[in-house]
Amino acid sequence: MSTLTATDVHDEAVALVREAVSAYLPVARARRVEMDTRTWSQVVDEVRDVVAHTS
């Protein structure tokens, strides 16, 4: 039985967030033309907030 350390869990969480953001951003950029500036800013702010909480 292996034991996960806090660092292991953190590293895995960061990798998952990066993967999700990397997958989502092309979709968001493609849909950008459908969004007003406020909505786009909210999307970007949410992504930044999630990334900031993984540091």
Side-chain angles (χ1 to χ4, degrees), residues 21-51:
V21 169
S22 295
Y24 177 70
L25 281 179
V27 174
R29 286 185 187 115
R31 295 188 62 203
R32 169 66 177 110
V33 295
E34 301 169 14
M35 297 180 203
D36 59 23
T37 302
R38 182 175 179 214
T39 303
W40 175 250
S41 293
Q42 289 172 335
V43 169
V44 172
D45 289 345
E46 285 294 324
V47 170
R48 287 181 180 146
D49 187 53
V50 169
V51 171

